[in-house]
Amino acid sequence: MFSWSFLKAGELLDLDDELHRVDLINCVPGRTDEIEWMRLESVLTRRCVQFSPAEMTELFQVKRLRVRARNSVPQDFYAQTGDQLDDAARRRLFYVEQFDRLQPSKSTAQLARFIDEVYPTADFPHHKPSPGSVRRWVNGRGEPGRRWPGQMRGRYPRGPRCSREPEYAQEIFEDSFEAFLRSAR
């Protein structure tokens, strides 16, 4: 039988075209290479499902389960150019690259001088960031020499990413609304 022991907690899988991550792996007592069962958690709904290796192999064979590439990220994450970035991400990338080049101290006074020195060299319109923002970008978005444009994007997009109600609830709302409109005439 196929072995699923290569999977580690946190890895991503697609189950019925929905993204899941490996939440928990339970091995046979005394044998770390033999899995007894595995729990997957839906990234979207946080619902957990548990499978034995035989069940996972069966799902894989009928193409309901697909293993994502390790550390799978969007295609443009490692792109070397920032042409497709929004204005805020372009600004972050500019300041962290300049920080890596000049390597000033992270103190507030030194960062303020750094921002004043670098601001006029930018080839796009923007407002000056605060020293605290630059410090946060430098500390939290990559390492010197390895700062990818994909790391500079906003981490908390605004607005709803999807409807908060289940699809059947939306249909009920729509039907009720249409019935209301018909009765109001």
Side-chain angles (χ1 to χ4, degrees):
M1 180 175 27
F2 183 78
S3 173
W4 290 93
S5 59
F6 68 92
L7 287 177
K8 306 291 180 230
E11 292 203 46
L12 299 176
L13 304 167
D14 283 316
L15 175 62
D16 295 330
D17 296 323
E18 186 179 336
L19 184 62
H20 285 70
R21 74 175 182 82
V22 177
D23 183 43
L24 183 66
I25 299 172
N26 187 37
C27 295
V28 173
R31 303 229 18 217
T32 58
D33 62 334
E34 191 174 336
I35 295 174
E36 190 172 22
W37 52 265
M38 189 176 301
R39 186 169 68 196
L40 306 178
E41 179 186 39
S42 168
V43 173
L44 183 64
T45 64
R46 313 285 292 182
R47 188 174 309 145
C48 293
V49 288
Q50 184 172 307
F51 295 108
S52 69
E55 292 170 324
M56 288 186 63
T57 302
E58 184 179 321
L59 290 169
F60 183 75
Q61 288 172 343
V62 296
K63 300 188 184 328
R64 287 183 54 202
L65 179 69
R66 185 170 56 96
V67 179
R68 288 237 176 151
R70 280 204 164 89
N71 302 323
S72 58
V73 294
Q75 284 287 347
D76 59 349
F77 185 83
Y78 292 112
Q80 291 295 324
T81 63
D83 297 339
Q84 299 87 8
L85 296 178
D86 58 81
D87 293 338
R90 185 174 296 117
R91 183 177 71 145
R92 289 183 199 110
L93 183 62
F94 172 75
Y95 280 98
V96 296
E97 285 178 343
Q98 294 302 315
F99 182 90
D100 291 345
R101 186 176 62 83
L102 299 173
Q103 298 183 345
S105 168
K106 292 182 186 175
S107 71
T108 303
Q110 289 290 326
L111 282 176
R113 273 190 290 247
F114 160 76
I115 292 166
D116 290 337
E117 177 184 327
V118 171
Y119 177 75
T121 64
D123 59 353
F124 55 92
H126 68 284
H127 65 276
K128 286 184 185 178
S130 69
S133 294
V134 173
R135 186 181 306 113
R136 190 175 60 248
W137 300 338
V138 167
N139 290 336
R141 295 182 186 260
E143 303 166 357
R146 297 185 62 194
R147 301 199 194 267
W148 309 106
Q151 293 172 314
M152 302 302 146
R153 292 202 173 98
R155 295 186 177 165
Y156 306 104
R158 295 192 172 117
R161 264 72 65 210
C162 61
S163 177
R164 296 169 199 251
E165 289 83 25
E167 192 172 322
Y168 69 88
Q170 288 179 346
E171 291 173 8
I172 292 171
F173 292 147
E174 289 172 8
D175 293 343
S176 300
F177 184 68
E178 288 173 5
F180 172 77
L181 290 178
R182 281 193 298 269
S183 67
R185 292 181 192 169

